[in-house]
Amino acid sequence: MKKPVVFLTRRLPAAAMEMLAAACTITLWDDEVRPCPREALLNGVAEAEGLLSLLTDRVDDELLAAGPHLRMVANMAVGYDNLDLAACRRRGVQVSNTPGVVTETTADLAWALMLAAARRLVEGQKLIEAGGWGPWYPMQMVGVDIYGSRLGVVGAGRIGQAVLRRAQGFGMALGYHNRTPNSAVEATTGATYLALDELLSSSDVVVVTVPLSDETRGMFGAREFALMKPTAIFVNVARGPIVREAELVAALQAGRPQAAGIDVFEREPIGPDHPLLRLPNCVAVPHIGSATVATRTRMATLAAENLVAVLTGKAAPSLLNL
Ligand SMILES: NC(=O)c1ccc[n+]([C@@H]2O[C@H](COP(=O)([O-])OP(=O)(O)OC[C@H]3O[C@@H](n4cnc5c(N)ncnc54)[C@H](O)[C@@H]3O)[C@@H](O)[C@H]2O)c1
Ligand SMILES: O=C(O)[C@H](O)CO
């Protein structure tokens, strides 16, 4: 039987490539680092029945029109704001993401950013590198305590709950905000539901883990930062456009919140001149929430599994639509 043609916008870890090669004819943008240019993507899907996309690939009407044989788009990310689900539905194209496999790794990064921002880790290293470390004095490089403080998670889904679970060892009081209260979250984490403004004004640490949608775009701006405690730590591991970045810069310059840990940006990648990088109270990393060998490999194999399943008429593990 003829194998279905699939287009991959990047070479994937070997386990995923092997799984795909066994069931499909692979065509790909074979560059490990540079994203697949739009033109190459539109050409790439011309004969393809399946597409394996990354979060840097926009899947919209134009792309679907360029791929008239497409039956399945497997996104290698849990977030799927790069996909126009309605357009896929209209054209009968199935879509999947990679939920669950990124959860613990991304929650680890939220904690790494929280601790790094609260205890000024990057600033401290830069101080030493610049030869600025003088003799010990009482208020040298003082930060804020995480142990015993109050954590507020906005978006208590898979990652948000994993962030809350980690707080048990830190003796924290826990709050969460979701569209609606969730008794299961409360039972497993001990967190209390709070309206957004209440969470912002009462938390010592605010961690954002909502998906990017029409509802959450620009959810955090000057008003929300002004509600936070002056000593608050703000962490975003969700998506950049959830935060009005210029307003975050102004808020950090004014010292409220006191510090931030940021993994995701309005427009990625950012360059060395980005204003957040000029602020000593911002720890910024390049969208590495899920970046461990094990997790990126699991994401790739789950995406491959979804793609192969739909193209061979089997049940896919994590379909999003239809
Ligand atoms: N930085 C990274 O590398 C990285 C890694 C993985 C995921 N992410 C991002 O994290 C997001 C969350 O992933 P997840 O697996 O936890 O998803 P999830 O669907 O399990 O959880 C999202 C939660 O947000 C809530 N929510 C949605 N809209 C809301 C709103 N307007 N107000 C309040 N709550 C709202 C949902 O009810 C849900 O509980 C992804 O969509 C992705 O964008 C980033
Ligand atoms: O949505 C996701 O999965 C991340 O942004 C990349 O892991």
Side-chain angles (χ1 to χ4, degrees):
M1 208 175 71
K2 204 167 159 259
K3 289 178 176 179
V5 174
V6 294
F7 183 69
L8 278 52
T9 62
R10 214 61 63 85
R11 180 171 289 280
L12 301 174
M17 293 303 288
E18 282 158 23
M19 193 186 293
L20 287 164
C24 309
T25 301
I26 297 175
T27 55
L28 81 160
W29 171 252
D30 202 0
D31 183 318
E32 218 189 307
V33 180
R34 278 185 318 133
C36 180
R38 186 71 180 169
E39 230 15 69
L41 179 54
L42 296 177
N43 290 332
V45 294
E47 302 301 327
E49 288 181 64
L51 168 66
L52 200 146
S53 56
L54 306 186
L55 55 85
T56 44
D57 305 314
R58 190 163 34 85
V59 174
D60 55 10
D61 242 343
E62 181 194 34
L63 181 128
L64 297 171
H69 312 292
L70 277 176
R71 292 194 280 133
M72 171 66 179
V73 174
N75 208 38
M76 189 185 137
V78 66
Y80 50 88
D81 45 279
N82 58 313
L83 312 179
D84 182 341
L85 283 194
C88 292
R89 199 173 298 122
R90 277 197 302 275
R91 290 175 186 268
V93 176
Q94 309 243 48
V95 180
S96 63
N97 66 341
T98 58
V101 294
V102 298
T103 300
E104 303 301 342
T105 303
T106 310
D108 281 353
L109 188 83
W111 270 84
L113 287 171
M114 183 196 305
L115 290 164
R119 297 302 303 276
R120 305 171 62 180
L121 298 192
V122 175
E123 201 185 341
Q125 176 159 351
K126 284 186 180 163
L127 180 89
I128 299 172
E129 285 169 356
W133 185 16
W136 191 97
Y137 63 92
M139 298 307 273
Q140 184 183 33
M141 288 294 305
V142 291
V144 294
D145 279 315
I146 293 298
Y147 187 88
S149 69
R150 179 174 284 274
L151 170 64
V153 166
V154 182
R158 288 170 292 250
I159 297 170
Q161 289 176 53
V163 170
L164 287 165
R165 283 197 302 273
R166 280 161 176 68
Q168 280 176 2
F170 282 79
M172 295 174 101
L174 305 179
Y176 75 99
H177 174 73
N178 231 28
R179 275 179 299 213
T180 48
N182 181 332
S183 54
V185 170
E186 290 168 26
T188 54
T189 67
T192 305
Y193 177 84
L194 296 169
L196 183 59
D197 287 2
E198 198 185 345
L199 179 144
L200 295 177
S201 58
S202 63
S203 298
D204 297 302
V205 183
V206 174
V207 178
V208 183
T209 55
V210 284
L212 175 61
S213 65
D214 291 345
E215 261 176 79
T216 61
R217 189 176 294 277
M219 187 174 190
F220 292 87
R223 191 191 82 86
E224 288 69 32
F225 297 127
L227 285 174
M228 289 182 197
K229 293 184 181 182
T231 49
I233 305 297
F234 178 74
V235 174
N236 184 9
V237 292
R239 284 289 184 268
I242 294 166
V243 173
R244 297 168 198 263
E245 214 159 75
E247 295 174 32
L248 174 62
V249 170
L252 286 169
Q253 277 164 340
R256 186 192 199 122
Q258 176 158 316
I262 305 293
D263 183 42
V264 286
F265 300 83
E266 259 176 6
R267 273 189 212 89
E268 297 177 0
I270 61 167
D273 296 332
H274 193 281
L276 282 174
L277 299 181
R278 289 201 284 271
L279 300 175
N281 52 349
C282 183
V283 177
V285 291
H287 202 147
I288 55 168
S290 63
T292 64
V293 174
T295 293
R296 287 284 166 84
T297 304
R298 274 190 227 113
M299 291 164 70
T301 50
L302 178 54
E305 218 181 307
N306 277 309
L307 192 55
V308 170
V310 169
L311 297 182
T312 57
K314 303 200 178 81
S318 48
L319 279 188
L320 275 165
N321 64 339
L322 306 176

